[in-house]
Amino acid sequence: ETGTSFEDLSQLKSALEEQLQRNTKTMNELLAQSPELMAEIHFSQEFGNPESLLSFLAAETNKYFPALDEESLHPEVLSQELSPLWDLPCWQPPALNEPLEHSTLWIDWQTAGNPDSLYPALAEKGYPGSFYREAYRRSLDSEKVQALLSFPGWERGWDAYARSYALSFDNGLSREAKQLARLSYSSSLAIQGLIDIQVNYYGWGVDEVKDFLAGYYQVDQEQVWEALYRRAAYAPGLSLSYCTGYLEIRQMKSRARDVLGDAFQEMEFHRFLLETGPGPFSLLRNRLDNWIVQQNMSSLSR
């Protein structure tokens, strides 16, 4: 489900725990310097219109990700009566032989009226998330068999990475607020992934989830405990595939940046991910080394 490159579950669990510890340390440092920072993570009302927000995200995506051919995605808001019947926001890709143009991204009425919910939702499902990912993949002259295979870890990892990356766009937040928002999202992914492991591998029940959240993160709302337990129990591997894919991509990016230094280009790294994937992360990490060599050679010739 995750396509992880980690050798076993204990290694993956340790990596998630280490990520949480680093995130918590950095978040505490940010909040110690600016205690009001958490209250600043709010998007302005200009991002409350789904159509204009999608246009903004598409334009920002073109600055840091490979450009798309003309593809259109249109948001539609479901009524209050129909929203509970759908898992929203939702975008369903058409068949491989059908065009992506005039695709619809369905949004529930509550999300549509709240910029703080709408911004991350459209980033994850629209640009530079799942719609952008699928549109770019279909624009490539690649083997059709690859498009028929399922690699949920890569796909969901990209969508989580895209949602996080979109927080750094020119969206009105301060640099510190953007960093805190990304750290908070990364921590949320890791917590849900750890709960997924503990419930489905180690046999945790709702009481253990409660003790974990209340003891380590002071989360004392019963509906939160139960919701996270149900998500893990009823959809094993779902949360873990999001956070593992995100972690794998972040580690690959960190390695590429460390090795290449000033020669590292985010646009080209994103192109590498899109044109090499989808696939298991062990394969992508092997291909990454070859890509780094090519980037080094290209930088020397410039």
Side-chain angles (χ1 to χ4, degrees):
E1 187 75 9
T2 65
T4 183
S5 65
F6 290 93
E7 292 183 0
D8 55 44
L9 200 59
S10 63
Q11 284 190 7
L12 176 55
K13 181 172 175 286
S14 295
L16 293 175
E17 291 171 340
E18 291 170 6
Q19 183 68 51
L20 264 177
Q21 291 173 0
R22 289 194 297 269
N23 288 356
T24 301
K25 181 177 182 293
T26 306
M27 290 169 68
N28 288 339
E29 291 171 352
L30 286 169
L31 291 171
Q33 296 173 4
S34 304
E36 75 287 351
L37 201 55
M38 189 65 77
E40 295 179 7
I41 306 177
H42 292 290
F43 296 102
S44 68
Q45 285 301 319
E46 69 176 296
F47 294 129
N49 180 281
E51 194 77 44
S52 61
L53 176 55
L54 266 183
S55 296
F56 165 81
L57 290 171
E60 288 289 299
T61 295
N62 284 337
K63 297 178 183 178
Y64 309 100
F65 295 79
L68 278 179
D69 294 333
E70 287 298 323
E71 298 289 355
S72 55
L73 179 64
H74 304 284
E76 291 286 345
V77 180
L78 280 181
S79 66
Q80 183 175 355
E81 294 76 17
L82 291 176
S83 291
L85 304 177
W86 289 52
D87 183 15
L88 300 172
C90 172
W91 171 73
Q92 291 295 332
L96 291 175
N97 60 346
E98 295 181 3
L100 282 175
E101 59 189 57
H102 309 304
S103 295
T104 300
L105 175 61
W106 297 99
I107 310 164
D108 68 277
W109 64 281
Q110 288 178 310
T111 297
N114 182 358
D116 293 339
S117 300
L118 187 64
Y119 189 101
L122 267 58
E124 180 177 332
K125 298 297 183 181
Y127 301 94
S130 54
F131 174 80
Y132 167 84
R133 163 176 56 78
E134 182 69 12
Y136 190 86
R137 286 293 308 163
R138 292 193 183 198
S139 71
L140 302 176
D141 184 20
S142 59
E143 294 293 335
K144 297 299 183 182
V145 66
Q146 189 179 31
L148 296 173
L149 300 176
S150 176
F151 299 98
W154 183 88
E155 294 167 356
R156 294 167 184 161
W158 174 274
D159 296 350
Y161 171 79
R163 171 174 169 169
S164 173
Y165 196 97
L167 292 170
S168 66
F169 286 167
D170 187 15
N171 52 32
L173 299 182
S174 68
R175 182 179 64 84
E176 294 78 11
K178 292 175 182 178
Q179 184 181 9
L180 185 60
R182 296 182 72 176
L183 287 167
S184 297
Y185 177 58
S186 172
S187 297
S188 174
L189 286 173
I191 289 170
Q192 292 181 66
L194 285 171
I195 291 175
D196 199 338
I197 292 174
Q198 297 287 12
V199 169
N200 293 298
Y201 191 76
Y202 294 104
W204 273 14
V206 68
D207 289 338
E208 287 85 356
V209 172
K210 167 187 171 183
D211 293 341
F212 172 71
L213 292 173
Y216 288 97
Y217 303 103
Q218 292 75 54
V219 178
D220 55 3
Q221 296 96 339
E222 184 175 357
Q223 63 269 28
V224 175
W225 310 330
E226 292 184 349
L228 290 178
Y229 171 76
R230 286 197 303 269
R231 179 181 174 89
Y234 298 160
L238 178 63
S239 296
L240 192 59
S241 61
Y242 275 102
C243 73
T244 302
Y246 174 82
L247 176 64
E248 295 267 9
I249 290 173
R250 292 291 303 175
Q251 288 187 347
M252 291 168 63
K253 184 176 181 178
S254 179
R255 169 170 168 71
R257 192 191 298 275
D258 289 345
V259 175
L260 291 171
D262 293 339
F264 177 79
Q265 299 179 56
E266 294 214 350
M267 174 81 76
E268 294 309 310
F269 176 73
H270 294 153
R271 193 189 310 277
F272 160 77
L273 285 176
L274 289 164
E275 296 186 1
T276 308
F281 286 104
S282 56
L283 174 62
L284 267 65
R285 284 181 183 264
N286 288 336
R287 297 286 180 88
L288 178 68
D289 292 336
N290 293 332
W291 177 81
I292 289 174
V293 172
Q294 293 170 3
Q295 291 297 298
N296 257 327
M297 294 176 62
S298 297
S299 67
L300 292 174
S301 64
R302 285 198 292 267

